[in-house]
Amino acid sequence: MQSINRFLYGPTPEEKVRAWQVKLRSEQRTLEREMRQLDTATKKAQQTVKQLAKKGDVKSARIMAREVVRSHKQMDRLSVSKARLGSIGTQLQQQLAMVKVTGSLQKSTEIMKLSNSLVKLPQISQTMRDMSMEMTKAGIMEEMLDDTLQMEDDEELEEEADAEVDKVLYDLTEGKLGQAGTVQEELPSIQDQVEDEETERAMEQYRQQLHGLLSS
């Protein structure tokens, strides 16, 4: 009888919730892998900043420091998103308890708000869109509005970039770079000399690696 009902009416509310919880845990693992990769690439980029600072290559050090700032922001975004996935899982667990009482899934503004924010993250955007459509059909949330999905992180980064880049430079070079008005005087200028090829290759490698992680 249960198999017949499933064929006629589809999965039960409990089965739907269980399936969503499996997807949520899978996406959390995806974000964890991304965070580990980003952390490794960021540490390498930080080391490159230090090497460039020792050479006196202020311009290149600043370019790499900007990438470090971007990676820090991305790490924060991934961490918050991972926590939001966990919050949706908790909300769904509460839905399971309600199903036993009411026999159906209930509309949740909290799940809708969390899902809308997670759709903005490229790494899990499609999965969250699909899951949101399923939850909408199940009556948990209303249809999402596409005009809420535009990210504004690039604009925010531009507004705060200079101060944050200076702070990264100051921290990584133990105060030799990053202080306003002292960047050029603190280290001898050797930018007219031949660049160290190994450092240049490392810089480009880490920039490309970080760019791939930040734009994925």
Side-chain angles (χ1 to χ4, degrees):
M1 178 64 69
Q2 187 175 11
S3 60
I4 295 177
N5 287 338
R6 185 179 292 107
F7 176 78
L8 293 175
Y9 305 108
T12 65
E14 292 90 343
E15 290 171 337
K16 291 178 182 178
V17 170
R18 298 298 185 195
W20 292 331
Q21 288 177 324
V22 169
K23 290 181 180 179
L24 290 171
R25 287 192 291 270
S26 175
E27 294 308 312
Q28 282 183 308
R29 291 192 293 271
T30 296
L31 294 187
E32 287 171 356
R33 287 193 298 271
E34 183 102 6
M35 291 167 70
R36 288 194 296 269
Q37 293 172 358
L38 185 58
D39 183 60
T40 298
T42 301
K43 288 177 179 177
K44 293 179 179 178
Q46 289 172 332
Q47 188 61 36
T48 301
V49 172
K50 294 179 182 180
Q51 293 171 355
L52 292 167
K54 288 180 180 179
K55 292 175 54 185
D57 190 346
V58 177
K59 180 178 180 181
S60 296
R62 192 170 187 83
I63 290 173
M64 285 304 297
R66 186 175 293 272
E67 296 297 324
V68 171
V69 169
R70 290 186 65 208
S71 69
H72 285 166
K73 286 183 174 292
Q74 178 72 345
M75 183 67 78
D76 290 342
R77 187 182 302 119
L78 293 173
S79 180
V80 169
S81 297
K82 180 173 175 284
R84 286 171 175 168
L85 287 171
S87 296
I88 293 179
T90 300
Q91 293 290 325
L92 288 175
Q93 193 63 35
Q94 295 175 3
Q95 288 275 352
L96 279 179
M98 290 298 297
V99 167
K100 294 178 180 178
V101 177
T102 64
S104 61
L105 297 168
Q106 306 299 307
K107 184 169 293 186
S108 171
T109 55
E110 184 65 18
I111 289 179
M112 181 174 180
K113 181 174 68 175
L114 291 167
S115 297
N116 280 346
S117 65
L118 287 168
V119 169
K120 300 175 185 178
L121 194 67
Q123 290 87 340
I124 60 175
S125 177
Q126 190 57 52
T127 297
M128 293 310 303
R129 282 181 179 274
D130 294 342
M131 194 181 305
S132 295
M133 290 178 62
E134 294 172 2
M135 290 183 181
T136 300
K137 292 179 181 178
I140 291 181
M141 52 187 285
E142 297 176 350
E143 189 171 355
M144 291 187 301
L145 299 176
D146 287 338
D147 59 3
T148 67
L149 305 182
Q150 182 66 37
M151 299 183 68
E152 300 176 354
D153 297 285
D154 289 340
E155 295 179 4
E156 295 175 1
L157 177 61
E158 288 302 319
E159 294 174 359
E160 304 174 4
D162 288 339
E164 294 187 33
V165 169
D166 284 339
K167 185 177 185 304
V168 168
L169 285 171
Y170 184 86
D171 292 342
L172 292 178
T173 63
E174 299 179 349
K176 292 184 178 65
L177 288 179
Q179 298 184 83
T182 64
V183 171
Q184 295 299 330
E185 294 82 6
E186 299 252 348
L187 288 178
S189 177
I190 58 170
Q191 295 185 36
D192 292 334
Q193 299 181 14
V194 177
E195 295 288 341
D196 180 85
E197 294 185 2
E198 184 176 349
T199 303
E200 277 294 307
R201 287 197 298 269
M203 176 181 168
E204 185 60 25
Q205 176 187 350
Y206 301 146
R207 283 191 67 192
Q208 291 179 0
Q209 188 174 4
L210 280 171
H211 180 73
L213 290 169
L214 293 172
S215 61
S216 61

